[in-house]
Amino acid sequence: MASSALALAAPTPRTDFATRLAEAGFVLTLLIIMVGLTPFDDRTPAAIAAREATTASGDLIRQVVFLSTFGMILFGALRKRGIAAVTAVPVLIAALMLWGLASSFWADEPSVVARRAVLAMIFVLSMLLSVDTLGAARTMMLWRNTVAAIIIGDIVSVCLIHNAIHQANDIEAGLAGDWRGLHSHKNTAGSVTASAVVLFFYYALETRRKSDILL
């Protein structure tokens, strides 16, 4: 199948610093999305109240991290293709992102909407530029390896880390005993695991590798 050839072809060798930087930016972006910045965070009411009291600084850290990873990817994209890197963004996707940003002008909280729209744009551009710069095969390989590391980390952490399981003093008391692994909540752990099932089931059918079947 064409899709199989695309996804499982031999990745293009890494040959320069810019490409390696783009790879690092892509992997870090995946980790931010799937794990976040505070693995094993304390979910007691007091801890959550303290975090909410410093929401502004937390948002700033998140914005800086997203901008930094995007900068890494953008640098690699520009080094590889120059200004032609903008062609990685389909016109309709660009229009949709601009519409989201424009909607901040009539929103009840313009600054909040604008900030979230920009973060969404950064994430979308990071993904599009990563695939364009690294190629589909290498992007898939990095995605597979990152998800594998997260799933293994989830399993190991449940056995070793206290906060990898929702505790009795969790702000949502009904979650006590549920696993969350590296993630902030069991729902996030569940969504990452569900996507991993699809990913590794696909690879298991295509490659018959024991590691993919096990994962």
Side-chain angles (χ1 to χ4, degrees):
M1 293 187 301
S3 59
S4 300
L6 179 66
L8 300 173
T12 303
R14 295 173 296 179
T15 57
D16 57 82
F17 171 75
T19 302
R20 291 176 181 269
L21 194 64
E23 288 182 353
F26 175 66
V27 170
L28 288 173
T29 301
L30 292 178
L31 289 173
I32 296 168
I33 294 299
M34 290 188 278
V35 176
L37 299 175
T38 55
F40 312 123
D41 57 331
D42 196 342
R43 284 179 48 84
T44 63
I48 290 179
R51 284 198 293 273
E52 289 178 348
T54 58
T55 295
S57 62
D59 285 349
L60 177 61
I61 293 172
R62 183 178 178 83
Q63 292 165 30
V64 169
V65 171
F66 263 111
L67 284 170
S68 299
T69 55
F70 175 62
M72 296 163 69
I73 295 168
L74 181 62
F75 178 79
L78 292 175
R79 284 293 300 270
K80 179 179 179 180
R81 300 192 58 197
I83 195 64
V86 298
T87 61
V89 184
V91 174
L92 289 179
I93 295 294
L96 180 61
M97 291 190 294
L98 291 174
W99 172 256
L101 184 61
S103 68
S104 65
F105 289 110
W106 59 80
D108 291 336
E109 297 288 346
S111 61
V112 174
V113 174
R115 184 167 65 247
R116 292 180 178 177
V118 169
L119 285 176
M121 292 171 66
I122 288 173
F123 171 69
V124 172
L125 291 173
S126 294
M127 296 298 103
L128 292 173
L129 290 174
S130 292
V131 176
D132 187 63
T133 302
L134 305 175
R138 188 150 200 90
T139 303
M140 287 293 292
M141 186 199 74
L142 291 171
W143 180 30
R144 176 197 178 281
N145 291 346
T146 302
V147 173
I150 291 172
I151 293 300
I152 293 171
D154 284 338
I155 295 170
V156 172
S157 67
V158 166
C159 301
L160 301 177
I161 306 296
H162 181 74
N163 275 353
I165 297 174
H166 285 284
Q167 300 301 311
N169 60 355
D170 193 287
I171 193 169
E172 297 179 74
L175 300 181
D178 291 340
W179 75 281
R180 62 184 179 116
L182 302 169
H183 314 280
S184 61
H185 194 278
K186 76 174 185 66
N187 289 352
T188 308
S191 63
V192 171
T193 304
S195 64
V197 169
V198 176
L199 177 65
F200 292 114
F201 184 65
Y202 165 74
Y203 271 103
L205 290 176
E206 293 293 331
T207 67
R208 305 295 180 181
R209 285 191 300 239
K210 293 180 180 179
S211 59
D212 292 316
I213 295 172
L214 178 62
L215 285 165

